[in-house]
Amino acid sequence: MTRPVLVVDFGAQYAQLIARRVREAHVYSEIVPHTITADEVRAKDPAALILSGGPASVYEEGAPSMDPALLTLGVPTLGICYGAQVMAQLLGGRVARTGVREYGRTALARTGATSALLAGLPEATTCWMSHGDSIVEAPEGFAVTASTTDVPVAVMEDPARRLYATQYHPEVAHTERGQEQLAHFLHHLAGLAPSWTNASIIDDQVARIRAQVGAQRVLCALSGGVDSAVAAALVTKAVGRQLTCVFVDTGLMRLNEGEQIDETFTRQFGVELVHVKAQDRFFDALAGVTDPERKRKIIGELFIREFEAVARELAAGEDVRFLVQGTLYPDVIESGSGHAANIKSHHNVGGLPEDLAFELVEPLRLLFKDEVRRVGEELGLPEEIVWRQPFPGPGLAVRIVGEVTRERAEILRAADHVVVDEIRRAGLYRDLWQSFAVLPAVRTVGVMGDGRTYAYPIVIRAVTSDDAMTADWARLPYDLVERIANRLIREVEGVNRVALDVTSKPPGTIEWE
Ligand code: XMP
């Protein structure tokens, strides 16, 4: 593995964005907590450090700081915003609340001092600021190389100690040529080769998978989503026919999802695929159940039982020790900090319990979602799978308010297909985090032809989001909404009304249950 760039996390959402931007510059990055010690950092042998922004004030009681020895390791280091202030303070500079608050696009001017960090940039650019405190005095040895109208120390650097700092956020798209500045720091000031590419990720993971599983059989539960599909494709590339995939059709999948999985994995990749047609067992177990949490529990438990039955059968023939799991890097970071409140018994539904007697193979553990998608494309997975929007483990059940029956699942599946199809035609599918149909538990009166109808409404739910923690309702063009509504009423039997969900998250959640 190549030496990582460590992004020291001072809180809020900044560290992940920086880590992603570093990866976009084709350099491998990892996020570490600001409490990391210099010894722990040394053990990771980082190629560079980036100190992230954060919401605190450096001089407040209990404000996050870091081991000052991190700054004397001789490792090229870039401090950003709060990270720049921590660097300034630890090295004897001065940070203060001056009353100046800069927020948003701000003009940045070079001071005339020679700058290694800003080499190649024009004398004047714009940057993205978001701070209340300012560095009022740079530490000794630093040259101040850029300022704004209100803030004297916008960029400071000490090339002899390989320390650089920007008060603004180069990782944010609004900073003019910000990505270029980060890449310049990584490639030129830290001397890193842009070697983190799809091909290198695949080679690296293939080698790890081979080393981990040897000649043993590996199992993978396919869900139809991009993560399990890419994980399975990587394992196939590594150990070919040692992989057996299991697809449990719960009856709550999207239209043609099962067929597409068969097509891709059995025909295209030649993987051994066990397609469990468990629809009847799921609908039977869900009969009469309306409580959302009960539904989730029933589906989660039944899914595990179905999967275990297949695993046991396969294991009767030979030793199956390994199970593929599509865990992504953000899950790894988040489970480390363990802050997520339990709003819904969530993200383990549709997953597998930890006490299954398997050793996990997690080929996506180091990857962000956009990297997973690019790797998927490189491995030859179809566009439709690679770019599929997230889909909840319990499937359509959490979009069917009230009882889940075969008939209601059919209505919703057909409606969902119409919504997604029109959104794709409008070219919006990839811009939206999720877009789907919801089936409420009420029926309303309508008139069609010259007859009265008494049927279900469909709710269109479309949101934009970066990470599903918060979301905004998508402002779909009215003509698109109209087309969707017309088609829903015309094509989906049992539907006579269409509504648009204009709730953000919070207060709503993305799914209805
Ligand atoms: P909510 O509805 O809580 O959903 O705003 C946030 C994101 O999580 C997805 N989701 C799930 N994913 N198993 C999953 O793997 C689940 O049980 C589950 N429930 C919700 C949801 O689609 C959204 O992207």
Side-chain angles (χ1 to χ4, degrees), residues 296 343-351 390-395 398-399 433-434 436 461 463 467-469 471 505 508-513:
R296 282 173 175 274
I343 312 280
K344 300 174 183 177
S345 63
H346 228 201
H347 298 278
N348 42 9
V349 178
F391 188 61
V398 294
R399 301 173 180 172
W433 176 264
Q434 276 170 293
F436 53 86
R461 179 70 165 145
V463 297
D467 55 7
M469 302 297 285
K505 174 183 181 175
T509 51
I510 296 174
E511 306 290 347
W512 270 38
E513 290 195 340

PDB file of all heavy atoms in Angstrom, residues 296 343-351 390-395 398-399 433-434 436 461 463 467-469 471 505 508-513, ligand 1:
ATOM      1  N   ARG A 296     -39.602  -3.761   9.628  1.00  0.00           N
ATOM      2  CA  ARG A 296     -38.151  -3.817   9.445  1.00  0.00           C
ATOM      3  C   ARG A 296     -37.565  -5.052  10.117  1.00  0.00           C
ATOM      4  O   ARG A 296     -36.723  -5.731   9.554  1.00  0.00           O
ATOM      5  CB  ARG A 296     -37.502  -2.569  10.047  1.00  0.00           C
ATOM      6  CG  ARG A 296     -37.617  -1.357   9.188  1.00  0.00           C
ATOM      7  CD  ARG A 296     -37.114  -0.122   9.915  1.00  0.00           C
ATOM      8  NE  ARG A 296     -37.134   0.990   8.990  1.00  0.00           N
ATOM      9  CZ  ARG A 296     -36.149   1.294   8.154  1.00  0.00           C
ATOM     10  NH1 ARG A 296     -35.034   0.606   8.182  1.00  0.00           N
ATOM     11  NH2 ARG A 296     -36.273   2.281   7.300  1.00  0.00           N
ATOM     12  N   ILE A 343     -32.664   6.679  14.867  1.00  0.00           N
ATOM     13  CA  ILE A 343     -33.992   7.158  14.477  1.00  0.00           C
ATOM     14  C   ILE A 343     -34.839   5.978  13.985  1.00  0.00           C
ATOM     15  O   ILE A 343     -36.000   5.862  14.289  1.00  0.00           O
ATOM     16  CB  ILE A 343     -33.892   8.191  13.337  1.00  0.00           C
ATOM     17  CG1 ILE A 343     -32.834   9.245  13.649  1.00  0.00           C
ATOM     18  CG2 ILE A 343     -35.242   8.819  13.059  1.00  0.00           C
ATOM     19  CD1 ILE A 343     -33.232  10.335  14.583  1.00  0.00           C
ATOM     20  N   LYS A 344     -34.221   5.138  13.203  1.00  0.00           N
ATOM     21  CA  LYS A 344     -34.905   3.944  12.712  1.00  0.00           C
ATOM     22  C   LYS A 344     -33.956   2.768  12.907  1.00  0.00           C
ATOM     23  O   LYS A 344     -32.752   2.960  12.844  1.00  0.00           O
ATOM     24  CB  LYS A 344     -35.180   4.060  11.203  1.00  0.00           C
ATOM     25  CG  LYS A 344     -36.044   5.228  10.828  1.00  0.00           C
ATOM     26  CD  LYS A 344     -36.128   5.350   9.316  1.00  0.00           C
ATOM     27  CE  LYS A 344     -36.930   6.577   8.928  1.00  0.00           C
ATOM     28  NZ  LYS A 344     -36.967   6.769   7.470  1.00  0.00           N
ATOM     29  N   SER A 345     -34.491   1.592  13.139  1.00  0.00           N
ATOM     30  CA  SER A 345     -33.590   0.440  13.263  1.00  0.00           C
ATOM     31  C   SER A 345     -33.117   0.115  11.862  1.00  0.00           C
ATOM     32  O   SER A 345     -33.668  -0.673  11.144  1.00  0.00           O
ATOM     33  CB  SER A 345     -34.316  -0.747  13.860  1.00  0.00           C
ATOM     34  OG  SER A 345     -35.341  -1.152  12.996  1.00  0.00           O
ATOM     35  N   HIS A 346     -32.132   0.679  11.435  1.00  0.00           N
ATOM     36  CA  HIS A 346     -31.796   1.052  10.117  1.00  0.00           C
ATOM     37  C   HIS A 346     -30.890   0.156   9.383  1.00  0.00           C
ATOM     38  O   HIS A 346     -31.210  -0.879   8.875  1.00  0.00           O
ATOM     39  CB  HIS A 346     -31.038   2.379  10.276  1.00  0.00           C
ATOM     40  CG  HIS A 346     -31.531   3.393   9.340  1.00  0.00           C
ATOM     41  ND1 HIS A 346     -30.780   4.447   8.996  1.00  0.00           N
ATOM     42  CD2 HIS A 346     -32.666   3.477   8.667  1.00  0.00           C
ATOM     43  CE1 HIS A 346     -31.465   5.182   8.171  1.00  0.00           C
ATOM     44  NE2 HIS A 346     -32.611   4.603   7.965  1.00  0.00           N
ATOM     45  N   HIS A 347     -29.647   0.620   9.478  1.00  0.00           N
ATOM     46  CA  HIS A 347     -28.705   0.258   8.433  1.00  0.00           C
ATOM     47  C   HIS A 347     -28.178  -1.136   8.563  1.00  0.00           C
ATOM     48  O   HIS A 347     -27.346  -1.546   7.792  1.00  0.00           O
ATOM     49  CB  HIS A 347     -27.600   1.315   8.372  1.00  0.00           C
ATOM     50  CG  HIS A 347     -28.218   2.632   8.026  1.00  0.00           C
ATOM     51  ND1 HIS A 347     -28.521   3.003   6.752  1.00  0.00           N
ATOM     52  CD2 HIS A 347     -28.697   3.598   8.817  1.00  0.00           C
ATOM     53  CE1 HIS A 347     -29.122   4.177   6.760  1.00  0.00           C
ATOM     54  NE2 HIS A 347     -29.235   4.559   8.008  1.00  0.00           N
ATOM     55  N   ASN A 348     -28.676  -1.851   9.555  1.00  0.00           N
ATOM     56  CA  ASN A 348     -28.327  -3.262   9.549  1.00  0.00           C
ATOM     57  C   ASN A 348     -29.437  -4.075   8.888  1.00  0.00           C
ATOM     58  O   ASN A 348     -29.265  -5.235   8.616  1.00  0.00           O
ATOM     59  CB  ASN A 348     -28.073  -3.755  10.971  1.00  0.00           C
ATOM     60  CG  ASN A 348     -29.100  -3.180  11.914  1.00  0.00           C
ATOM     61  OD1 ASN A 348     -30.058  -2.570  11.449  1.00  0.00           O
ATOM     62  ND2 ASN A 348     -28.910  -3.380  13.199  1.00  0.00           N
ATOM     63  N   VAL A 349     -30.570  -3.423   8.627  1.00  0.00           N
ATOM     64  CA  VAL A 349     -31.651  -4.166   7.985  1.00  0.00           C
ATOM     65  C   VAL A 349     -31.254  -4.425   6.537  1.00  0.00           C
ATOM     66  O   VAL A 349     -30.894  -3.516   5.807  1.00  0.00           O
ATOM     67  CB  VAL A 349     -32.981  -3.396   8.034  1.00  0.00           C
ATOM     68  CG1 VAL A 349     -34.059  -4.167   7.310  1.00  0.00           C
ATOM     69  CG2 VAL A 349     -33.376  -3.147   9.468  1.00  0.00           C
ATOM     70  N   GLY A 350     -31.342  -5.677   6.163  1.00  0.00           N
ATOM     71  CA  GLY A 350     -30.889  -6.004   4.808  1.00  0.00           C
ATOM     72  C   GLY A 350     -29.413  -6.333   4.840  1.00  0.00           C
ATOM     73  O   GLY A 350     -28.826  -6.719   3.846  1.00  0.00           O
ATOM     74  N   GLY A 351     -28.802  -6.179   5.998  1.00  0.00           N
ATOM     75  CA  GLY A 351     -27.419  -6.608   6.159  1.00  0.00           C
ATOM     76  C   GLY A 351     -27.428  -7.906   6.949  1.00  0.00           C
ATOM     77  O   GLY A 351     -28.459  -8.515   7.153  1.00  0.00           O
ATOM     78  N   PRO A 390     -29.278   4.981  -3.988  1.00  0.00           N
ATOM     79  CA  PRO A 390     -29.374   4.091  -2.825  1.00  0.00           C
ATOM     80  C   PRO A 390     -30.788   3.526  -2.688  1.00  0.00           C
ATOM     81  O   PRO A 390     -31.767   4.192  -3.036  1.00  0.00           O
ATOM     82  CB  PRO A 390     -29.066   5.005  -1.648  1.00  0.00           C
ATOM     83  CG  PRO A 390     -28.379   6.185  -2.228  1.00  0.00           C
ATOM     84  CD  PRO A 390     -28.844   6.334  -3.626  1.00  0.00           C
ATOM     85  N   PHE A 391     -30.843   2.325  -2.163  1.00  0.00           N
ATOM     86  CA  PHE A 391     -32.130   1.657  -1.965  1.00  0.00           C
ATOM     87  C   PHE A 391     -32.088   1.008  -0.591  1.00  0.00           C
ATOM     88  O   PHE A 391     -31.102   0.372  -0.248  1.00  0.00           O
ATOM     89  CB  PHE A 391     -32.309   0.607  -3.071  1.00  0.00           C
ATOM     90  CG  PHE A 391     -33.675  -0.025  -3.113  1.00  0.00           C
ATOM     91  CD1 PHE A 391     -34.803   0.753  -3.333  1.00  0.00           C
ATOM     92  CD2 PHE A 391     -33.820  -1.397  -2.944  1.00  0.00           C
ATOM     93  CE1 PHE A 391     -36.062   0.158  -3.384  1.00  0.00           C
ATOM     94  CE2 PHE A 391     -35.083  -1.994  -2.997  1.00  0.00           C
ATOM     95  CZ  PHE A 391     -36.199  -1.212  -3.220  1.00  0.00           C
ATOM     96  N   PRO A 392     -33.138   1.175   0.214  1.00  0.00           N
ATOM     97  CA  PRO A 392     -33.063   0.671   1.593  1.00  0.00           C
ATOM     98  C   PRO A 392     -33.084  -0.854   1.647  1.00  0.00           C
ATOM     99  O   PRO A 392     -33.708  -1.494   0.795  1.00  0.00           O
ATOM    100  CB  PRO A 392     -34.317   1.253   2.243  1.00  0.00           C
ATOM    101  CG  PRO A 392     -35.244   1.536   1.111  1.00  0.00           C
ATOM    102  CD  PRO A 392     -34.392   1.872  -0.073  1.00  0.00           C
ATOM    103  N   GLY A 393     -32.430  -1.397   2.651  1.00  0.00           N
ATOM    104  CA  GLY A 393     -32.406  -2.848   2.844  1.00  0.00           C
ATOM    105  C   GLY A 393     -33.802  -3.476   2.841  1.00  0.00           C
ATOM    106  O   GLY A 393     -34.022  -4.471   2.145  1.00  0.00           O
ATOM    107  N   PRO A 394     -34.774  -2.910   3.566  1.00  0.00           N
ATOM    108  CA  PRO A 394     -36.106  -3.519   3.578  1.00  0.00           C
ATOM    109  C   PRO A 394     -36.890  -3.261   2.292  1.00  0.00           C
ATOM    110  O   PRO A 394     -38.052  -3.641   2.183  1.00  0.00           O
ATOM    111  CB  PRO A 394     -36.805  -2.835   4.761  1.00  0.00           C
ATOM    112  CG  PRO A 394     -35.756  -2.059   5.470  1.00  0.00           C
ATOM    113  CD  PRO A 394     -34.667  -1.791   4.511  1.00  0.00           C
ATOM    114  N   GLY A 395     -36.271  -2.588   1.337  1.00  0.00           N
ATOM    115  CA  GLY A 395     -36.860  -2.439   0.013  1.00  0.00           C
ATOM    116  C   GLY A 395     -38.134  -1.613   0.018  1.00  0.00           C
ATOM    117  O   GLY A 395     -38.298  -0.675   0.809  1.00  0.00           O
ATOM    118  N   VAL A 398     -40.613  -0.124   3.158  1.00  0.00           N
ATOM    119  CA  VAL A 398     -40.615   1.115   3.951  1.00  0.00           C
ATOM    120  C   VAL A 398     -41.194   2.286   3.157  1.00  0.00           C
ATOM    121  O   VAL A 398     -41.208   3.420   3.633  1.00  0.00           O
ATOM    122  CB  VAL A 398     -39.201   1.471   4.487  1.00  0.00           C
ATOM    123  CG1 VAL A 398     -38.752   0.411   5.483  1.00  0.00           C
ATOM    124  CG2 VAL A 398     -38.184   1.631   3.372  1.00  0.00           C
ATOM    125  N   ARG A 399     -41.672   1.973   1.944  1.00  0.00           N
ATOM    126  CA  ARG A 399     -42.362   2.995   1.153  1.00  0.00           C
ATOM    127  C   ARG A 399     -43.833   2.632   0.976  1.00  0.00           C
ATOM    128  O   ARG A 399     -44.556   3.305   0.252  1.00  0.00           O
ATOM    129  CB  ARG A 399     -41.700   3.126  -0.220  1.00  0.00           C
ATOM    130  CG  ARG A 399     -40.234   3.504  -0.104  1.00  0.00           C
ATOM    131  CD  ARG A 399     -39.513   3.468  -1.416  1.00  0.00           C
ATOM    132  NE  ARG A 399     -38.113   3.843  -1.215  1.00  0.00           N
ATOM    133  CZ  ARG A 399     -37.177   3.760  -2.149  1.00  0.00           C
ATOM    134  NH1 ARG A 399     -37.495   3.315  -3.360  1.00  0.00           N
ATOM    135  NH2 ARG A 399     -35.942   4.127  -1.895  1.00  0.00           N
ATOM    136  N   TRP A 433     -30.203  12.535  -5.160  1.00  0.00           N
ATOM    137  CA  TRP A 433     -29.711  11.491  -4.252  1.00  0.00           C
ATOM    138  C   TRP A 433     -30.626  10.275  -4.363  1.00  0.00           C
ATOM    139  O   TRP A 433     -30.185   9.159  -4.522  1.00  0.00           O
ATOM    140  CB  TRP A 433     -29.687  12.037  -2.825  1.00  0.00           C
ATOM    141  CG  TRP A 433     -29.301  11.015  -1.824  1.00  0.00           C
ATOM    142  CD1 TRP A 433     -30.153  10.258  -1.067  1.00  0.00           C
ATOM    143  CD2 TRP A 433     -27.971  10.607  -1.475  1.00  0.00           C
ATOM    144  NE1 TRP A 433     -29.425   9.417  -0.264  1.00  0.00           N
ATOM    145  CE2 TRP A 433     -28.095   9.615  -0.491  1.00  0.00           C
ATOM    146  CE3 TRP A 433     -26.697  10.999  -1.893  1.00  0.00           C
ATOM    147  CZ2 TRP A 433     -26.982   8.994   0.088  1.00  0.00           C
ATOM    148  CZ3 TRP A 433     -25.594  10.382  -1.313  1.00  0.00           C
ATOM    149  CH2 TRP A 433     -25.745   9.393  -0.344  1.00  0.00           C
ATOM    150  N   GLN A 434     -31.928  10.536  -4.262  1.00  0.00           N
ATOM    151  CA  GLN A 434     -32.909   9.480  -4.435  1.00  0.00           C
ATOM    152  C   GLN A 434     -34.173  10.059  -5.043  1.00  0.00           C
ATOM    153  O   GLN A 434     -34.519  11.217  -4.792  1.00  0.00           O
ATOM    154  CB  GLN A 434     -33.265   8.828  -3.088  1.00  0.00           C
ATOM    155  CG  GLN A 434     -32.284   7.739  -2.683  1.00  0.00           C
ATOM    156  CD  GLN A 434     -32.483   7.269  -1.263  1.00  0.00           C
ATOM    157  OE1 GLN A 434     -32.262   8.021  -0.332  1.00  0.00           O
ATOM    158  NE2 GLN A 434     -32.902   6.029  -1.091  1.00  0.00           N
ATOM    159  N   PHE A 436     -38.165   8.407  -5.943  1.00  0.00           N
ATOM    160  CA  PHE A 436     -38.956   7.178  -5.930  1.00  0.00           C
ATOM    161  C   PHE A 436     -40.413   7.472  -5.640  1.00  0.00           C
ATOM    162  O   PHE A 436     -40.793   8.639  -5.434  1.00  0.00           O
ATOM    163  CB  PHE A 436     -38.388   6.186  -4.909  1.00  0.00           C
ATOM    164  CG  PHE A 436     -38.221   6.747  -3.507  1.00  0.00           C
ATOM    165  CD1 PHE A 436     -39.274   6.740  -2.596  1.00  0.00           C
ATOM    166  CD2 PHE A 436     -36.993   7.270  -3.100  1.00  0.00           C
ATOM    167  CE1 PHE A 436     -39.107   7.234  -1.300  1.00  0.00           C
ATOM    168  CE2 PHE A 436     -36.826   7.768  -1.797  1.00  0.00           C
ATOM    169  CZ  PHE A 436     -37.886   7.751  -0.902  1.00  0.00           C
ATOM    170  N   ARG A 461     -41.385  11.218  -4.210  1.00  0.00           N
ATOM    171  CA  ARG A 461     -40.373  11.661  -3.238  1.00  0.00           C
ATOM    172  C   ARG A 461     -39.046  11.773  -3.986  1.00  0.00           C
ATOM    173  O   ARG A 461     -38.556  10.783  -4.556  1.00  0.00           O
ATOM    174  CB  ARG A 461     -40.261  10.631  -2.123  1.00  0.00           C
ATOM    175  CG  ARG A 461     -39.217  10.957  -1.037  1.00  0.00           C
ATOM    176  CD  ARG A 461     -39.646  12.119  -0.207  1.00  0.00           C
ATOM    177  NE  ARG A 461     -38.908  12.296   1.044  1.00  0.00           N
ATOM    178  CZ  ARG A 461     -38.628  13.495   1.544  1.00  0.00           C
ATOM    179  NH1 ARG A 461     -39.006  14.606   0.903  1.00  0.00           N
ATOM    180  NH2 ARG A 461     -38.003  13.616   2.688  1.00  0.00           N
ATOM    181  N   VAL A 463     -35.173  13.731  -3.531  1.00  0.00           N
ATOM    182  CA  VAL A 463     -34.348  14.575  -2.668  1.00  0.00           C
ATOM    183  C   VAL A 463     -32.940  14.734  -3.212  1.00  0.00           C
ATOM    184  O   VAL A 463     -32.428  13.877  -3.925  1.00  0.00           O
ATOM    185  CB  VAL A 463     -34.246  14.003  -1.225  1.00  0.00           C
ATOM    186  CG1 VAL A 463     -35.603  13.966  -0.543  1.00  0.00           C
ATOM    187  CG2 VAL A 463     -33.596  12.633  -1.210  1.00  0.00           C
ATOM    188  N   ASP A 467     -25.087  12.988   1.824  1.00  0.00           N
ATOM    189  CA  ASP A 467     -24.749  11.821   2.633  1.00  0.00           C
ATOM    190  C   ASP A 467     -25.958  11.190   3.312  1.00  0.00           C
ATOM    191  O   ASP A 467     -25.785  10.338   4.179  1.00  0.00           O
ATOM    192  CB  ASP A 467     -23.731  12.241   3.704  1.00  0.00           C
ATOM    193  CG  ASP A 467     -24.248  13.415   4.536  1.00  0.00           C
ATOM    194  OD1 ASP A 467     -25.431  13.790   4.363  1.00  0.00           O
ATOM    195  OD2 ASP A 467     -23.488  13.940   5.345  1.00  0.00           O
ATOM    196  N   ALA A 468     -27.154  11.633   2.964  1.00  0.00           N
ATOM    197  CA  ALA A 468     -28.408  11.110   3.545  1.00  0.00           C
ATOM    198  C   ALA A 468     -28.636  11.522   5.001  1.00  0.00           C
ATOM    199  O   ALA A 468     -29.677  11.222   5.562  1.00  0.00           O
ATOM    200  CB  ALA A 468     -28.514   9.582   3.416  1.00  0.00           C
ATOM    201  N   MET A 469     -27.674  12.206   5.606  1.00  0.00           N
ATOM    202  CA  MET A 469     -27.894  12.650   6.986  1.00  0.00           C
ATOM    203  C   MET A 469     -28.864  13.823   7.001  1.00  0.00           C
ATOM    204  O   MET A 469     -29.707  13.954   7.884  1.00  0.00           O
ATOM    205  CB  MET A 469     -26.581  13.104   7.643  1.00  0.00           C
ATOM    206  CG  MET A 469     -25.507  12.048   7.671  1.00  0.00           C
ATOM    207  SD  MET A 469     -25.989  10.616   8.644  1.00  0.00           S
ATOM    208  CE  MET A 469     -25.789  11.292  10.275  1.00  0.00           C
ATOM    209  N   ALA A 471     -31.196  16.253   3.965  1.00  0.00           N
ATOM    210  CA  ALA A 471     -31.600  16.228   2.564  1.00  0.00           C
ATOM    211  C   ALA A 471     -32.561  17.372   2.296  1.00  0.00           C
ATOM    212  O   ALA A 471     -33.229  17.860   3.218  1.00  0.00           O
ATOM    213  CB  ALA A 471     -32.269  14.888   2.226  1.00  0.00           C
ATOM    214  N   LYS A 505     -35.184  16.888   5.087  1.00  0.00           N
ATOM    215  CA  LYS A 505     -34.729  16.091   6.233  1.00  0.00           C
ATOM    216  C   LYS A 505     -33.672  16.886   6.977  1.00  0.00           C
ATOM    217  O   LYS A 505     -32.643  17.187   6.374  1.00  0.00           O
ATOM    218  CB  LYS A 505     -34.143  14.776   5.765  1.00  0.00           C
ATOM    219  CG  LYS A 505     -33.504  13.968   6.919  1.00  0.00           C
ATOM    220  CD  LYS A 505     -32.873  12.698   6.446  1.00  0.00           C
ATOM    221  CE  LYS A 505     -32.278  11.950   7.641  1.00  0.00           C
ATOM    222  NZ  LYS A 505     -31.741  10.641   7.285  1.00  0.00           N
ATOM    223  N   GLY A 508     -38.417  15.703   8.013  1.00  0.00           N
ATOM    224  CA  GLY A 508     -38.833  14.405   7.484  1.00  0.00           C
ATOM    225  C   GLY A 508     -37.622  13.488   7.430  1.00  0.00           C
ATOM    226  O   GLY A 508     -36.482  13.934   7.598  1.00  0.00           O
ATOM    227  N   THR A 509     -37.824  12.208   7.193  1.00  0.00           N
ATOM    228  CA  THR A 509     -36.707  11.353   6.794  1.00  0.00           C
ATOM    229  C   THR A 509     -36.884  11.147   5.298  1.00  0.00           C
ATOM    230  O   THR A 509     -37.898  11.543   4.720  1.00  0.00           O
ATOM    231  CB  THR A 509     -36.719  10.012   7.550  1.00  0.00           C
ATOM    232  OG1 THR A 509     -38.011   9.431   7.436  1.00  0.00           O
ATOM    233  CG2 THR A 509     -36.379  10.238   9.013  1.00  0.00           C
ATOM    234  N   ILE A 510     -35.891  10.543   4.668  1.00  0.00           N
ATOM    235  CA  ILE A 510     -35.986  10.361   3.223  1.00  0.00           C
ATOM    236  C   ILE A 510     -37.053   9.321   2.906  1.00  0.00           C
ATOM    237  O   ILE A 510     -37.971   9.570   2.122  1.00  0.00           O
ATOM    238  CB  ILE A 510     -34.620   9.960   2.637  1.00  0.00           C
ATOM    239  CG1 ILE A 510     -33.614  11.102   2.839  1.00  0.00           C
ATOM    240  CG2 ILE A 510     -34.763   9.617   1.154  1.00  0.00           C
ATOM    241  CD1 ILE A 510     -32.192  10.780   2.422  1.00  0.00           C
ATOM    242  N   GLU A 511     -36.960   8.180   3.554  1.00  0.00           N
ATOM    243  CA  GLU A 511     -37.987   7.157   3.385  1.00  0.00           C
ATOM    244  C   GLU A 511     -39.189   7.534   4.252  1.00  0.00           C
ATOM    245  O   GLU A 511     -39.050   8.328   5.189  1.00  0.00           O
ATOM    246  CB  GLU A 511     -37.449   5.789   3.827  1.00  0.00           C
ATOM    247  CG  GLU A 511     -36.150   5.371   3.149  1.00  0.00           C
ATOM    248  CD  GLU A 511     -36.317   5.034   1.683  1.00  0.00           C
ATOM    249  OE1 GLU A 511     -37.482   4.885   1.229  1.00  0.00           O
ATOM    250  OE2 GLU A 511     -35.293   4.925   0.987  1.00  0.00           O
ATOM    251  N   TRP A 512     -40.346   6.933   3.940  1.00  0.00           N
ATOM    252  CA  TRP A 512     -41.527   7.281   4.730  1.00  0.00           C
ATOM    253  C   TRP A 512     -41.653   6.462   6.008  1.00  0.00           C
ATOM    254  O   TRP A 512     -42.444   6.779   6.877  1.00  0.00           O
ATOM    255  CB  TRP A 512     -42.792   7.163   3.860  1.00  0.00           C
ATOM    256  CG  TRP A 512     -43.086   8.472   3.175  1.00  0.00           C
ATOM    257  CD1 TRP A 512     -42.174   9.336   2.656  1.00  0.00           C
ATOM    258  CD2 TRP A 512     -44.362   9.070   2.985  1.00  0.00           C
ATOM    259  NE1 TRP A 512     -42.801  10.434   2.139  1.00  0.00           N
ATOM    260  CE2 TRP A 512     -44.148  10.292   2.322  1.00  0.00           C
ATOM    261  CE3 TRP A 512     -45.668   8.676   3.287  1.00  0.00           C
ATOM    262  CZ2 TRP A 512     -45.198  11.139   1.970  1.00  0.00           C
ATOM    263  CZ3 TRP A 512     -46.718   9.516   2.923  1.00  0.00           C
ATOM    264  CH2 TRP A 512     -46.469  10.746   2.278  1.00  0.00           C
ATOM    265  N   GLU A 513     -40.910   5.354   6.086  1.00  0.00           N
ATOM    266  CA  GLU A 513     -40.973   4.570   7.325  1.00  0.00           C
ATOM    267  C   GLU A 513     -39.576   4.220   7.770  1.00  0.00           C
ATOM    268  O   GLU A 513     -38.668   4.097   6.957  1.00  0.00           O
ATOM    269  CB  GLU A 513     -41.756   3.279   7.105  1.00  0.00           C
ATOM    270  CG  GLU A 513     -43.235   3.534   6.898  1.00  0.00           C
ATOM    271  CD  GLU A 513     -44.057   2.252   7.045  1.00  0.00           C
ATOM    272  OE1 GLU A 513     -43.468   1.167   6.929  1.00  0.00           O
ATOM    273  OE2 GLU A 513     -45.258   2.356   7.285  1.00  0.00           O
TER     274      GLU A 513
HETATM  275  P1  XMP B   1     -33.905   7.990   6.102  1.00  0.00           P
HETATM  276  O1  XMP B   1     -35.226   7.478   5.652  1.00  0.00           O
HETATM  277  O2  XMP B   1     -33.576   7.615   7.527  1.00  0.00           O
HETATM  278  O3  XMP B   1     -32.828   7.228   5.200  1.00  0.00           O
HETATM  279  O4  XMP B   1     -33.728   9.456   5.857  1.00  0.00           O
HETATM  280  C1  XMP B   1     -31.496   7.620   5.034  1.00  0.00           C
HETATM  281  C2  XMP B   1     -30.890   6.747   3.958  1.00  0.00           C
HETATM  282  O5  XMP B   1     -30.800   5.401   4.380  1.00  0.00           O
HETATM  283  C3  XMP B   1     -31.512   4.555   3.511  1.00  0.00           C
HETATM  284  N1  XMP B   1     -32.144   3.533   4.337  1.00  0.00           N
HETATM  285  C4  XMP B   1     -31.658   2.292   4.543  1.00  0.00           C
HETATM  286  N2  XMP B   1     -30.573   1.687   4.049  1.00  0.00           N
HETATM  287  N3  XMP B   1     -31.119  -0.279   5.260  1.00  0.00           N
HETATM  288  C5  XMP B   1     -30.314   0.384   4.405  1.00  0.00           C
HETATM  289  O6  XMP B   1     -29.331  -0.189   3.952  1.00  0.00           O
HETATM  290  C6  XMP B   1     -32.211   0.278   5.814  1.00  0.00           C
HETATM  291  O7  XMP B   1     -32.927  -0.337   6.588  1.00  0.00           O
HETATM  292  C7  XMP B   1     -32.497   1.634   5.423  1.00  0.00           C
HETATM  293  N4  XMP B   1     -33.487   2.493   5.751  1.00  0.00           N
HETATM  294  C8  XMP B   1     -33.245   3.663   5.069  1.00  0.00           C
HETATM  295  C9  XMP B   1     -32.482   5.449   2.794  1.00  0.00           C
HETATM  296  O8  XMP B   1     -32.874   4.919   1.537  1.00  0.00           O
HETATM  297  C10 XMP B   1     -31.689   6.726   2.676  1.00  0.00           C
HETATM  298  O9  XMP B   1     -30.784   6.665   1.600  1.00  0.00           O
END
